[in-house]
Each structure stands twice: as C-alpha cells, then as structure tokens.
Amino acid sequence: MTNLLNNILLANERFDLFRQGDRVLIALSGGPDSVALLHLLGLLQHQWNLTIAVAHVNHCLREEAAGDQRFCRVLSRANGYKFHSKKVDIPVRAKKLKIGFEQAGREARYGFFQRLCEKFDYTRIATAHTADDSAETFLLNLIRGANFGGLGGIPPKRNNIIRPLIESPKAEILEFLKLNGLSYRIDESNRDNTQSRNLIRNKIIPVLRNINAKASRHIARAGRDISIGYGFLEDEVEKLYQKCLVNESNTQITLDLEKLPTYYDSLRSWILLRAYFHLTDDNKRPDSTKIERAVNLSRRGAVTLLGSGIIVSNHAGKLILCRPLEQVKRIRLRRNSKTKLTDSGLAIQVEIIDGFSVKDIEKGNDESIAFLDNDKVSKLTVRGFIEGDKFQPLGMRGTKKVADYLNDKGVPLVFKKSIPIVLSNDDIIWIAGYGIAEKFKVTVKTSKVLKIQMLRDMVINESTYF
C-alpha cells in the first residue's frame, strides 16, 4: 500500500471523511492532484463499497480549457465512472456579479457540485486539496491580516465536502503519478507569480522547505490545530450571534451589535462573519480591512461592500447584510415554467400543485417560496419596485405602501429596487422574499396552489455522460 493510501486512510480515521457505501462525487480538474485522487479513491472503492462519479467545470479562462474537459471525460469513461460537466464563462460571470475570477469560479464549481448531489443522491464531494494547498491558504490569510478565526487553513471536511489528500504533500502525489505512469494536464497559469497564491507556492514555500523539508506539512498542521482551538469558541460565538440577531432569512440578516456586552467587543467581527457565511457559499474570508469597516459603520444609511457581492448597511442603528440584485424589468411569467430574471442568474419558477396542507403552508418559513390560491391569480408578471407601489400585506385589512412595508422589515433603500415584485394583472401578490398579499393566500377553500419560488444561479450548459 502506498504512502498516499495510508495518508488517506489516516485522514479518514481522524476526520470521518467517508463511510461504507458512500456515493462520492470527485471534483476533477485534470491537474495532477485531482487525477491522483481519482485513481486513489478507485483503489479504495471496493474496500469501502464506494460509488464514484466525476464532475468537471470548464471555466473558459484558457485556450486549453476544452482540452481539459475532453481529458476528464475520457479519463472518467476509461475508469467506468459517470461524468458530469458544466461550461461557465467565468470572465462574463465575474463581470456581471462584480467579483473576481477566483471567487466566481469557486461559486460556480461548488454550486454545480451541490446541485449534482441533490439530483443524483451523492453523499460526498471529494476535492483534491493537499497539505501544500492548506499551508498556502494559512500563509495567504496570515499575510492578509486574518485573525484567529481565519488561520485554520483548509478544513479536511466541511458539511458534505471532503478532502482526502489534505494530509498528503504535493511531492508524494507527483511521485505516485510518475511511478504509475499516469498522465495529467498542466495549467500554465499556475506559474504566473503576479497572483498572490502562485507567488507563495512558487517562491515562498520553496524557501521555507530549505529551512525544513516538511515545512508545508507543519504549517498545515498548525492551521488545523488553530482550527480545533477556534472550534472550542464556536459555541460561545453562536450564543452571541443569536443574542445580536434581529432577523435572519436566506437573503438578508439584521444584527444589533449594541446588544453585545462591552467585554465581547473583540468578537464583533466573528459575529459579522457568521452572518456573512450564512448568506454566501463562498468559503473565502473577506479582507480584515473590509470586515473592520463593516463592523464600525456608525453613520445611519452608510453602506460598504464586504465581499461576494454582500453589502453591509447601517439601518436605524442596526447592521443589515444582503446581496442586492439588478433591478428586474417587467417580464411575463407562465405557470409550470422557469423564467430567468437577471443576467446574474436570478430566476423564478412557477408551478401548480394539487396535494397540499394548509397547516404546513402556514408553518413554512422559507422566504424564497410563496404559496398562493391559483384560482385567484390571473395574468402573472414580475417587475422591480416602483415608488408609490401599494399592496395588502398578509394579515392586514387595509393597504400599505410597499416602501413603508419594506422599511418596517428593515430593508435599506439601496436594496429596495432590486427586490422582484410579482403581480396578478396590476395587483401585487408577492414581494419576493418578504411577504404575500392577503387576498391571494391559501385557505381551506383553495383547490389548487400556485407555488412561486425564487431561485439563484440558474443552471445552464450542464451535461451528464454515462
């Protein structure tokens, strides 16, 4: 048994990465690390009764990207694995979302992987991060000014994402590939030392290895030890977060940091980050200067960008975190169909459902979904907020200005125009994410329910091969 297999089994023993019968989706870029991971998990497949499938995302960043995709497809088929692929124009996506290429690519990849898990019942997503990658992340975060909570390196496991090679150094991986005559793709962009991570990988890490040959492994282990120490504080931070939490949804979080006892002031940034990570799939921590600026917003109405498109605003003395969207133009919606609303991937799905429970609908707390009486709804359209809009909120007898209603919900002015508003003819029936109109609600007399759901990152250009 190779050192790498031993490393994977030891990592599994320490971090509970995979179990008997797991359905594992391998993230395959075609590079040396992911190719090694595919072959190594293949060697463990029968011992652990694993079902293996492969996913690849073409980022459209390099001329060789199409070749990478073909290589991954051929390699997967040669090993008898189901192959999923998606093509995403990352430069276009990054421009539309006003984020960097790295973040846009990461969000596209993990979003795609998670959708595949939901569709095909995969229980684990295996990525090929190594001990070297974890050391690089530790150093990069340290240089950027991360505090205790940001120095954990790359976690071996996060929810259903596992990293079986996290205890393995890059040198051993390359040696394994060489000894077994395994080919892989080379990403020339990794040699571009104008990128911070590449500079650390290509220039700084080699110097540290001159001091100690196991420098990468030791740095990665230090990061994990810090992460364990941080874990002991997580329960206390969660209690403080709940204390400061005013309201929380899938699209917006409001915090009142004035409720935090003075002696906990140093933990304000941790509480803000907890809210930030709740709203975004991005695992990358924002720069410490942005965090500090957001925590210290003192002027009411002040706004600052935190990261991943998340804006922080001081509204009535409270901090509101939200991802504002482009204003939605008027678009016709059709029943039992999905409609794309914005270039950034926002969509609305409309469907009619027969089997339903009024009690379950009344108990529902997912603000991204509205349940309405289908017979009361006629021509469906969606548009953005217009000054002077009025509707009858659920539970109210009279009408109310939408601007006042959203103000009561703690929605800053900067966010209001980006909220989709769904209409039946000229009547507002749902302010997406915030509430439905009273006269369109589901009752015991309802025969059919109209379910309207707001979706993000609408899927395009995905394919599956067997």
Side-chain angles (χ1 to χ4, degrees), residues 405-422:
Y405 176 79
L406 291 175
N407 193 57
D408 292 343
K409 293 283 186 178
V411 181
L413 179 63
V414 69
F415 300 136
K416 289 177 182 176
K417 292 186 177 181
S418 67
I419 298 172
I421 294 179
V422 181

Side-chain angles (χ1 to χ4, degrees), residues 120 201 205 215 219 226 234-235 254 261 306 389 397 432 456:
F120 295 96
R201 176 184 300 145
I205 294 288
I219 294 170
I226 290 174
E234 283 282 80
D235 288 343
T254 303
L306 185 56
D389 273 342
R397 293 185 177 180
R456 295 181 186 275

Side-chain angles (χ1 to χ4, degrees), residues 23 116-123:
R23 295 173 54 81
L116 289 174
C117 287
E118 293 173 6
K119 184 175 182 179
F120 295 96
D121 294 322
Y122 299 126
T123 55

Side-chain angles (χ1 to χ4, degrees), residues 406-456:
L406 291 175
N407 193 57
D408 292 343
K409 293 283 186 178
V411 181
L413 179 63
V414 69
F415 300 136
K416 289 177 182 176
K417 292 186 177 181
S418 67
I419 298 172
I421 294 179
V422 181
L423 301 94
S424 170
N425 291 328
D426 294 324
D427 292 326
I428 293 175
I429 62 175
W430 184 38
I431 301 175
Y434 293 95
I436 66 171
E438 168 69 21
K439 72 177 183 178
F440 295 93
K441 70 181 180 181
V442 175
T443 68
V444 292
K445 296 180 180 180
T446 300
S447 59
K448 290 185 178 181
V449 169
L450 189 70
K451 177 184 177 183
I452 309 178
Q453 184 171 9
M454 186 166 61
L455 308 171
R456 295 181 186 275

